[in-house]
């Protein structure tokens, strides 16, 4: 039997239901996190919990549990579901209340739901790299909040899929922001360049691990806005996310990136990322680099 958490309680996943007037369901009034699990162990848990709390505070929802309680619930769910390699998805909404845009005037308890999913590492793609397509970034101006409202991201990802691409690279006018569900990096003359973590993008946990490893490896980094023109002239491009790790980008809207092969800086960072996984979660069965 697969288990899920609803309102802080562990239950049979097939019986996990929420109210039709839950504000997450009606308004997307809530926030979420996706955390990677390798070897049954949570990767970068502390960082995800910190971002979750920041997202919650940004939309003025109080976490109905302590971080410690939440951690215990998540760990119990992983154990109960026997999750080896996959993800845990969790979200908190403002709760169920008669429909009205403003916050409920009565006291409503926020609704926590969580479940796990087996998901192998995308090893073949990590080796070969992926194709991407450009998409205008039509999102709101608080993309730093990991909000349940994902319509613009959905439309961008759908455009990617319909064009046989793995991801859409979003841009506001000439400025590259981030992927529909990932951060974007380019490499030029050995320098790693990526959008600053401000309100126009999500501060990726994977992004921060990568930037830390750049520092460790003495790879120069510039966190600054870069243009579509710079992107198309890049030596290397890669994207990052919890599920995609350090993913080489070999094509953008039909144009090949450099020679169409994952670049050397990208490879180095993939290697460093794998070492980080091993140090936090133990040895991996298969490596990207083998
Ligand atoms: N930007 C956006 C818009 C995202 O949705 C994500 C991750 C990222 C960047 C990368 O952040 P992390 O490195 O912290 O994962 N999105 C999650 C999602 O919706 N599914 O998987 C990851």
């Amino acid at each position: 039997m697969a288990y899920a958490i609803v309102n802080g309680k562990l239950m049979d996943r097939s019986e996990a239901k929420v109210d039709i007037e839950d504000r997450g369901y009606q308004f997307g009034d809530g926030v979420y996190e996706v955390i990677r699990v390798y070897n049954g162990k949570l990767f970068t848990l502390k960082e995800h919990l910190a971002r979750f709390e920041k997202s919650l505070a940004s939309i003025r929802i109080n976490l109905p549990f302590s971080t410690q309680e939440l951690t215990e619930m998540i760990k119990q769910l992983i154990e109960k579901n026997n999750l080896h390699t996959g993800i845990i998805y969790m979200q908190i909404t403002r709760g169920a209340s008669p429909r009205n845009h403003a916050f409920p005037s009565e006291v409503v308890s926020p609704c926590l739901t969580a479940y796990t999913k087996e998901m192998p590492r995308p090893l073949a793609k990590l080796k070969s790299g992926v194709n991407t397509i450009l998409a205008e970034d039509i999102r709101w101006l608080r993309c730093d909040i990991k909000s349940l409202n994902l319509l613009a991201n959905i439309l961008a990802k759908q455009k990617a899929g319909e064009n046989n691409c793995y991801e859409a690279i979003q841009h506001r006018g000439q400025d590259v922001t981030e992927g529909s569900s990932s951060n974007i990096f380019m490499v030029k003359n050995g320098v790693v360049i990526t959008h600053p973590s401000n309100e126009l993008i999500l501060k990726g946990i994977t992004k921060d691990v990568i930037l830390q490893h750049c520092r460790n490896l003495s790879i120069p980094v510039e966190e600054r806005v870069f243009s579509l023109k710079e992107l198309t002239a890049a030596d290397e491009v890669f994207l990052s996310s919890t599920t995609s790790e350090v993913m080489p980008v070999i094509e953008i809207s039909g144009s090949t990136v450099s020679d169409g092969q994952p670049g050397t800086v990208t490879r180095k960072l993939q290697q460093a990322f794998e070492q980080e996984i091993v140090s936090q979660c133990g040895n991996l069965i298969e490596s990207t680099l083998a």
Side-chain angles (χ1 to χ4, degrees):
M1 182 168 95
Y3 291 87
I5 292 171
V6 180
N7 277 325
K9 284 190 199 71
L10 205 61
M11 60 172 71
D12 182 345
R13 201 198 142 138
S14 63
E15 278 164 19
K17 302 271 188 308
V18 292
D19 196 293
I20 56 166
E21 284 198 302
D22 185 279
R23 293 177 61 93
Y25 181 60
Q26 285 194 328
F27 295 116
D29 186 2
V31 295
Y32 75 104
E33 278 297 327
V34 179
I35 313 176
R36 247 300 181 190
V37 173
Y38 300 102
N39 298 328
K41 297 200 177 68
L42 287 149
F43 182 67
T44 54
L45 171 66
K46 231 178 46 215
E47 291 81 355
H48 281 279
L49 290 178
R51 186 173 67 188
F52 197 40
E53 285 176 3
K54 201 157 165 260
S55 293
L56 284 164
S58 303
I59 64 165
R60 296 160 60 191
I61 293 179
N62 293 322
L63 185 67
F65 315 98
S66 69
T67 311
Q68 187 58 34
E69 284 170 319
L70 185 59
T71 305
E72 275 159 27
M73 274 189 256
I74 293 170
K75 286 187 173 162
Q76 199 189 1
L77 187 62
I78 290 167
E79 211 173 290
K80 278 275 194 189
N81 284 345
N82 248 321
L83 183 68
H84 184 271
T85 301
I87 56 133
I88 179 151
Y89 175 89
M90 60 178 186
Q91 67 169 47
I92 289 192
T93 72
R94 204 176 302 280
S97 174
R99 189 175 186 277
N100 177 22
H101 286 62
F103 296 175
S105 48
E106 73 281 17
V107 178
V108 168
S109 51
C111 180
L112 166 78
T113 47
Y115 61 85
T116 64
K117 196 171 154 190
E118 283 288 342
M119 192 185 287
R121 299 179 63 211
L123 284 170
K125 289 189 173 70
L126 287 169
K127 283 179 196 146
S128 65
V130 295
N131 295 343
T132 60
I133 191 163
L134 295 172
E136 185 68 43
D137 192 338
I138 58 167
R139 298 174 302 162
W140 70 331
L141 300 174
R142 288 305 307 275
C143 298
D144 56 318
I145 301 172
K146 206 159 169 52
S147 156
L148 296 179
N149 286 276
L150 289 172
L151 268 179
N153 308 60
I154 289 165
L155 292 174
K157 187 75 94 188
Q158 182 63 18
K159 179 181 178 185
E162 285 170 0
N163 288 279
N164 295 317
C165 289
Y166 181 79
E167 176 61 306
I169 299 180
Q170 301 177 105
H171 55 94
R172 284 192 193 266
Q174 293 307 302
D175 297 343
V176 176
T177 51
E178 64 178 336
S180 71
S181 63
S182 62
N183 291 114
I184 303 295
F185 297 72
M186 59 167 275
V187 184
K188 190 69 183 178
N189 300 325
V191 181
V192 170
I193 304 163
T194 189
H195 196 285
S197 292
N198 58 20
E199 296 185 348
L200 295 183
I201 67 161
L202 184 76
K203 185 173 162 60
I205 307 297
T206 320
K207 176 188 188 221
D208 281 351
V209 171
I210 292 167
L211 293 182
Q212 186 54 49
H213 280 285
C214 285
R215 279 175 224 121
N216 297 348
L217 295 164
S218 303
I219 297 170
V221 171
E222 288 177 14
E223 260 191 294
R224 64 163 174 87
V225 176
F226 58 96
S227 66
L228 285 174
K229 207 166 144 199
E230 287 183 276
L231 181 72
T232 43
D235 299 330
E236 302 177 32
V237 176
F238 60 91
L239 59 83
S240 75
S241 82
T242 293
T243 48
S244 296
E245 303 181 3
V246 181
M247 182 63 79
V249 171
I250 54 170
E251 195 186 290
I252 303 169
S253 285
S255 303
T256 305
V257 176
S258 209
D259 63 354
Q261 298 294 320
T264 50
V265 176
T266 307
R267 287 284 183 233
K268 241 193 233 177
L269 290 169
Q270 283 186 320
Q271 201 169 349
F273 195 80
E274 276 194 346
Q275 281 161 5
E276 185 66 40
I277 299 172
V278 171
S279 78
Q280 290 192 30
C281 305
N283 282 330
L284 294 163
I285 304 162
E286 268 189 294
S287 147
T288 339
L289 316 152

